[in-house]
Amino acid sequence: MITAISFNKLPIWSLLVLLLLWFVITAYGVTQITSGYFLESLCSYPAIKEKKIAITFDDGPDESTLSILEVLEKYNVRSTFFCIGKQVDDYPHIVKKIIEKGHIIGNHTYSHSKLIDLYGTKKFVKEIIDADDSIKNTTGKIPLLFRPPYGVTNPNIAKAVKKTGHKVIGWNKRSFDTTIPSEKVILKRITKNLKPGDVILLHDTKMITVTVLEQLLLFLQKNNYTTVTIDELFSIQAYA
């Protein structure tokens, strides 16, 4: 009652400022997975003592994934692939190859729909479980690592992840390899101020990423970095 009276006494411009501030903070929390605004996620490990980083790939598998795997094998590097369930169903042979090469697979929902951020908790839970089932049916493994599409978080996603028990994985180095047409610009975004414990986001659905990846691995090699999988970087379990 006191709070309501206090707000009623505020001038309209003050209320508008408070509303705008709330909107900005909420929008930041929704779009920036590193904020931890709605749920806790592992985005980097700055306390690590060794020069280790993790390279992750989203939205596959795809035909381009095969080229990504060749580059990783060339440099004897293991990475983490956050796979879309329906893509797993479409490319089971590539999923099996990811596992055979020693990489880790995580859950990236079943459909990765453009409207998935608007789903209710129940529908989002189904997205996670269906993707788990696709990965399990193809590899025999049930992933414990989950990355929300677009890195967007909200209360419904937070509730869904709490129900499924997955560990949420974010990133702190976003390449924008799906939108930037310049290999040079993408590489610069990744390598600028790179630090031990960083988590890099790439996509194995873009051929430009193949070239960028090789340049990145050469950079890491030259600067004495070791590339590890997400479970190794954070010392967590990858599968149930």
Side-chain angles (χ1 to χ4, degrees):
M1 189 69 171
I2 295 173
T3 305
I5 293 171
S6 299
F7 271 103
N8 286 335
K9 290 181 178 179
L10 286 174
I12 188 67
W13 65 265
S14 298
L15 293 174
L16 289 174
V17 168
L18 288 172
L19 184 62
L20 179 62
L21 182 62
W22 172 84
F23 178 80
V24 170
I25 292 172
T26 303
Y28 180 82
V30 167
T31 58
Q32 301 297 318
I33 195 168
T34 53
S35 70
Y37 190 77
F38 292 108
L39 53 78
E40 180 185 357
S41 59
L42 299 175
C43 298
S44 66
Y45 186 23
I48 195 168
K49 292 181 171 59
E50 303 91 348
K51 291 187 74 173
K52 292 182 178 181
I53 59 98
I55 299 175
T56 65
F57 297 92
D58 283 10
D59 296 358
D62 182 85
E63 291 295 341
S64 302
T65 306
L66 294 172
S67 298
I68 294 287
L69 290 173
E70 288 177 6
V71 175
L72 293 173
E73 186 172 21
K74 178 179 176 181
Y75 290 89
N76 193 30
V77 165
R78 294 192 307 135
S79 297
T80 306
F81 291 78
F82 288 93
C83 296
I84 299 172
K86 67 177 184 177
Q87 293 295 107
V88 172
D89 292 342
D90 289 342
Y91 299 99
H93 62 292
I94 298 179
V95 178
K96 290 175 182 177
K97 194 161 188 177
I98 292 173
I99 294 295
E100 287 170 7
K101 298 299 180 181
H103 306 290
I104 296 297
I105 288 181
N107 185 316
H108 200 40
T109 71
Y110 185 80
S111 71
H112 201 294
S113 165
K114 291 181 179 178
L115 299 177
I116 199 167
D117 306 326
L118 303 178
Y119 287 5
T121 301
K122 185 176 180 180
K123 193 171 182 180
F124 205 95
V125 166
K126 187 175 188 306
E127 281 280 340
I128 298 174
I129 292 175
D130 286 352
D132 274 353
D133 288 344
S134 291
I135 294 168
K136 181 186 176 183
N137 291 339
T138 303
T139 68
K141 299 176 182 293
I142 304 173
L144 292 175
L145 309 181
F146 170 74
R147 176 171 282 167
Y150 317 110
V152 169
T153 60
N154 60 43
N156 288 333
I157 295 174
K159 290 174 187 174
V161 172
K162 187 175 181 180
K163 286 179 180 292
T164 63
H166 288 73
K167 182 71 72 175
V168 180
I169 307 298
W171 61 79
N172 69 323
K173 282 285 183 178
R174 188 170 192 169
S175 65
F176 285 102
D177 56 341
T178 57
T179 55
I180 296 175
S182 168
E183 297 169 6
K184 185 177 179 180
V185 174
I186 295 171
L187 184 66
K188 186 176 181 180
R189 280 191 58 85
I190 300 169
T191 56
K192 185 179 180 181
N193 300 322
L194 188 72
K195 305 176 298 298
D198 282 351
V199 176
I200 298 169
L201 168 64
L202 293 167
H203 294 80
D204 52 320
T205 55
K206 301 293 179 181
M207 285 308 296
I208 191 172
T209 306
V210 178
T211 308
V212 172
L213 176 62
E214 181 142 24
Q215 295 174 30
L216 172 60
L217 294 179
L218 286 169
F219 172 88
L220 295 173
Q221 196 176 71
K222 182 179 178 181
N223 289 275
N224 300 314
Y225 275 95
T226 301
T227 304
V228 297
T229 53
I230 284 293
D231 57 320
E232 185 178 346
L233 181 67
F234 293 107
S235 298
I236 55 178
Q237 198 171 332
Y239 305 111

PDB file of all heavy atoms in Angstrom, residues 12 31 37 53 78 82 95 98 160 173 211 228 232-234:
ATOM      1  N   ILE A  12       5.028  11.865 -13.739  1.00  0.00           N
ATOM      2  CA  ILE A  12       4.911  10.931 -14.855  1.00  0.00           C
ATOM      3  C   ILE A  12       6.245  10.663 -15.530  1.00  0.00           C
ATOM      4  O   ILE A  12       6.534   9.537 -15.942  1.00  0.00           O
ATOM      5  CB  ILE A  12       3.883  11.435 -15.895  1.00  0.00           C
ATOM      6  CG1 ILE A  12       3.623  10.358 -16.959  1.00  0.00           C
ATOM      7  CG2 ILE A  12       4.341  12.748 -16.509  1.00  0.00           C
ATOM      8  CD1 ILE A  12       2.938   9.138 -16.436  1.00  0.00           C
ATOM      9  N   THR A  31      18.862 -10.959 -24.061  1.00  0.00           N
ATOM     10  CA  THR A  31      19.728 -11.140 -25.233  1.00  0.00           C
ATOM     11  C   THR A  31      21.182 -11.454 -24.912  1.00  0.00           C
ATOM     12  O   THR A  31      21.914 -11.954 -25.769  1.00  0.00           O
ATOM     13  CB  THR A  31      19.687  -9.890 -26.124  1.00  0.00           C
ATOM     14  OG1 THR A  31      20.104  -8.747 -25.351  1.00  0.00           O
ATOM     15  CG2 THR A  31      18.275  -9.635 -26.634  1.00  0.00           C
ATOM     16  N   TYR A  37      21.091 -13.134 -16.115  1.00  0.00           N
ATOM     17  CA  TYR A  37      19.921 -12.427 -15.578  1.00  0.00           C
ATOM     18  C   TYR A  37      18.780 -13.381 -15.230  1.00  0.00           C
ATOM     19  O   TYR A  37      18.144 -13.247 -14.187  1.00  0.00           O
ATOM     20  CB  TYR A  37      19.458 -11.382 -16.589  1.00  0.00           C
ATOM     21  CG  TYR A  37      18.408 -10.425 -16.083  1.00  0.00           C
ATOM     22  CD1 TYR A  37      18.762  -9.384 -15.238  1.00  0.00           C
ATOM     23  CD2 TYR A  37      17.071 -10.553 -16.459  1.00  0.00           C
ATOM     24  CE1 TYR A  37      17.799  -8.487 -14.770  1.00  0.00           C
ATOM     25  CE2 TYR A  37      16.111  -9.665 -16.003  1.00  0.00           C
ATOM     26  CZ  TYR A  37      16.481  -8.638 -15.161  1.00  0.00           C
ATOM     27  OH  TYR A  37      15.530  -7.760 -14.701  1.00  0.00           O
ATOM     28  N   ILE A  53      41.385 -22.781 -24.155  1.00  0.00           N
ATOM     29  CA  ILE A  53      40.122 -22.178 -24.586  1.00  0.00           C
ATOM     30  C   ILE A  53      39.250 -23.269 -25.201  1.00  0.00           C
ATOM     31  O   ILE A  53      39.743 -24.363 -25.508  1.00  0.00           O
ATOM     32  CB  ILE A  53      40.346 -21.032 -25.609  1.00  0.00           C
ATOM     33  CG1 ILE A  53      41.087 -21.544 -26.862  1.00  0.00           C
ATOM     34  CG2 ILE A  53      41.118 -19.889 -24.977  1.00  0.00           C
ATOM     35  CD1 ILE A  53      40.197 -21.857 -28.010  1.00  0.00           C
ATOM     36  N   ARG A  78      39.996 -30.992 -30.487  1.00  0.00           N
ATOM     37  CA  ARG A  78      38.645 -31.471 -30.167  1.00  0.00           C
ATOM     38  C   ARG A  78      37.765 -30.284 -29.775  1.00  0.00           C
ATOM     39  O   ARG A  78      38.201 -29.393 -29.056  1.00  0.00           O
ATOM     40  CB  ARG A  78      38.679 -32.512 -29.041  1.00  0.00           C
ATOM     41  CG  ARG A  78      39.395 -33.810 -29.424  1.00  0.00           C
ATOM     42  CD  ARG A  78      39.145 -34.893 -28.413  1.00  0.00           C
ATOM     43  NE  ARG A  78      39.471 -34.466 -27.063  1.00  0.00           N
ATOM     44  CZ  ARG A  78      38.696 -34.683 -26.001  1.00  0.00           C
ATOM     45  NH1 ARG A  78      37.540 -35.299 -26.136  1.00  0.00           N
ATOM     46  NH2 ARG A  78      39.073 -34.279 -24.809  1.00  0.00           N
ATOM     47  N   PHE A  82      27.003 -28.066 -30.596  1.00  0.00           N
ATOM     48  CA  PHE A  82      25.635 -27.991 -30.084  1.00  0.00           C
ATOM     49  C   PHE A  82      24.695 -28.203 -31.262  1.00  0.00           C
ATOM     50  O   PHE A  82      24.534 -27.335 -32.119  1.00  0.00           O
ATOM     51  CB  PHE A  82      25.406 -26.650 -29.387  1.00  0.00           C
ATOM     52  CG  PHE A  82      26.127 -26.552 -28.082  1.00  0.00           C
ATOM     53  CD1 PHE A  82      27.397 -26.004 -28.011  1.00  0.00           C
ATOM     54  CD2 PHE A  82      25.552 -27.068 -26.924  1.00  0.00           C
ATOM     55  CE1 PHE A  82      28.086 -25.960 -26.806  1.00  0.00           C
ATOM     56  CE2 PHE A  82      26.224 -27.022 -25.716  1.00  0.00           C
ATOM     57  CZ  PHE A  82      27.494 -26.466 -25.652  1.00  0.00           C
ATOM     58  N   VAL A  95      26.718 -36.951 -37.446  1.00  0.00           N
ATOM     59  CA  VAL A  95      26.706 -36.962 -35.975  1.00  0.00           C
ATOM     60  C   VAL A  95      27.611 -38.073 -35.455  1.00  0.00           C
ATOM     61  O   VAL A  95      28.405 -37.866 -34.529  1.00  0.00           O
ATOM     62  CB  VAL A  95      25.272 -37.151 -35.438  1.00  0.00           C
ATOM     63  CG1 VAL A  95      25.275 -37.217 -33.913  1.00  0.00           C
ATOM     64  CG2 VAL A  95      24.376 -36.014 -35.898  1.00  0.00           C
ATOM     65  N   ILE A  98      31.173 -37.087 -35.765  1.00  0.00           N
ATOM     66  CA  ILE A  98      31.578 -36.130 -34.729  1.00  0.00           C
ATOM     67  C   ILE A  98      32.027 -36.878 -33.489  1.00  0.00           C
ATOM     68  O   ILE A  98      33.074 -36.584 -32.898  1.00  0.00           O
ATOM     69  CB  ILE A  98      30.409 -35.175 -34.384  1.00  0.00           C
ATOM     70  CG1 ILE A  98      30.107 -34.240 -35.558  1.00  0.00           C
ATOM     71  CG2 ILE A  98      30.732 -34.351 -33.135  1.00  0.00           C
ATOM     72  CD1 ILE A  98      28.853 -33.392 -35.365  1.00  0.00           C
ATOM     73  N   ALA A 160      12.315 -24.350 -17.919  1.00  0.00           N
ATOM     74  CA  ALA A 160      12.460 -25.568 -18.714  1.00  0.00           C
ATOM     75  C   ALA A 160      13.771 -26.272 -18.410  1.00  0.00           C
ATOM     76  O   ALA A 160      13.812 -27.497 -18.218  1.00  0.00           O
ATOM     77  CB  ALA A 160      12.371 -25.223 -20.207  1.00  0.00           C
ATOM     78  N   LYS A 173      32.961 -15.122 -26.557  1.00  0.00           N
ATOM     79  CA  LYS A 173      33.565 -14.681 -27.816  1.00  0.00           C
ATOM     80  C   LYS A 173      32.632 -15.069 -28.962  1.00  0.00           C
ATOM     81  O   LYS A 173      32.613 -16.218 -29.413  1.00  0.00           O
ATOM     82  CB  LYS A 173      34.936 -15.334 -28.021  1.00  0.00           C
ATOM     83  CG  LYS A 173      36.050 -14.715 -27.204  1.00  0.00           C
ATOM     84  CD  LYS A 173      36.470 -13.387 -27.787  1.00  0.00           C
ATOM     85  CE  LYS A 173      37.626 -12.772 -27.047  1.00  0.00           C
ATOM     86  NZ  LYS A 173      38.058 -11.494 -27.660  1.00  0.00           N
ATOM     87  N   THR A 211      37.355 -21.712 -43.329  1.00  0.00           N
ATOM     88  CA  THR A 211      38.583 -20.944 -43.547  1.00  0.00           C
ATOM     89  C   THR A 211      38.997 -20.199 -42.283  1.00  0.00           C
ATOM     90  O   THR A 211      40.175 -20.178 -41.906  1.00  0.00           O
ATOM     91  CB  THR A 211      38.398 -19.933 -44.695  1.00  0.00           C
ATOM     92  OG1 THR A 211      37.906 -20.615 -45.842  1.00  0.00           O
ATOM     93  CG2 THR A 211      39.704 -19.256 -45.035  1.00  0.00           C
ATOM     94  N   VAL A 228      40.254 -27.202 -25.917  1.00  0.00           N
ATOM     95  CA  VAL A 228      39.637 -28.328 -25.213  1.00  0.00           C
ATOM     96  C   VAL A 228      38.128 -28.292 -25.397  1.00  0.00           C
ATOM     97  O   VAL A 228      37.561 -27.290 -25.849  1.00  0.00           O
ATOM     98  CB  VAL A 228      39.979 -28.289 -23.705  1.00  0.00           C
ATOM     99  CG1 VAL A 228      41.475 -28.450 -23.479  1.00  0.00           C
ATOM    100  CG2 VAL A 228      39.482 -26.999 -23.051  1.00  0.00           C
ATOM    101  N   GLU A 232      35.759 -30.495 -20.543  1.00  0.00           N
ATOM    102  CA  GLU A 232      37.115 -30.456 -20.012  1.00  0.00           C
ATOM    103  C   GLU A 232      37.442 -29.081 -19.447  1.00  0.00           C
ATOM    104  O   GLU A 232      38.060 -28.963 -18.386  1.00  0.00           O
ATOM    105  CB  GLU A 232      38.118 -30.823 -21.099  1.00  0.00           C
ATOM    106  CG  GLU A 232      39.548 -30.929 -20.592  1.00  0.00           C
ATOM    107  CD  GLU A 232      40.547 -31.346 -21.656  1.00  0.00           C
ATOM    108  OE1 GLU A 232      40.111 -31.818 -22.735  1.00  0.00           O
ATOM    109  OE2 GLU A 232      41.761 -31.195 -21.420  1.00  0.00           O
ATOM    110  N   LEU A 233      37.024 -28.030 -20.131  1.00  0.00           N
ATOM    111  CA  LEU A 233      37.326 -26.669 -19.677  1.00  0.00           C
ATOM    112  C   LEU A 233      36.719 -26.408 -18.302  1.00  0.00           C
ATOM    113  O   LEU A 233      37.376 -25.850 -17.422  1.00  0.00           O
ATOM    114  CB  LEU A 233      36.783 -25.648 -20.681  1.00  0.00           C
ATOM    115  CG  LEU A 233      37.046 -24.180 -20.345  1.00  0.00           C
ATOM    116  CD1 LEU A 233      38.534 -23.859 -20.422  1.00  0.00           C
ATOM    117  CD2 LEU A 233      36.266 -23.256 -21.283  1.00  0.00           C
ATOM    118  N   PHE A 234      35.468 -26.811 -18.119  1.00  0.00           N
ATOM    119  CA  PHE A 234      34.753 -26.519 -16.867  1.00  0.00           C
ATOM    120  C   PHE A 234      34.746 -27.692 -15.889  1.00  0.00           C
ATOM    121  O   PHE A 234      34.146 -27.584 -14.800  1.00  0.00           O
ATOM    122  CB  PHE A 234      33.324 -26.114 -17.170  1.00  0.00           C
ATOM    123  CG  PHE A 234      33.205 -24.791 -17.891  1.00  0.00           C
ATOM    124  CD1 PHE A 234      32.869 -24.744 -19.229  1.00  0.00           C
ATOM    125  CD2 PHE A 234      33.447 -23.600 -17.227  1.00  0.00           C
ATOM    126  CE1 PHE A 234      32.737 -23.533 -19.898  1.00  0.00           C
ATOM    127  CE2 PHE A 234      33.324 -22.375 -17.875  1.00  0.00           C
ATOM    128  CZ  PHE A 234      32.995 -22.346 -19.221  1.00  0.00           C
TER     129      PHE A 234
END
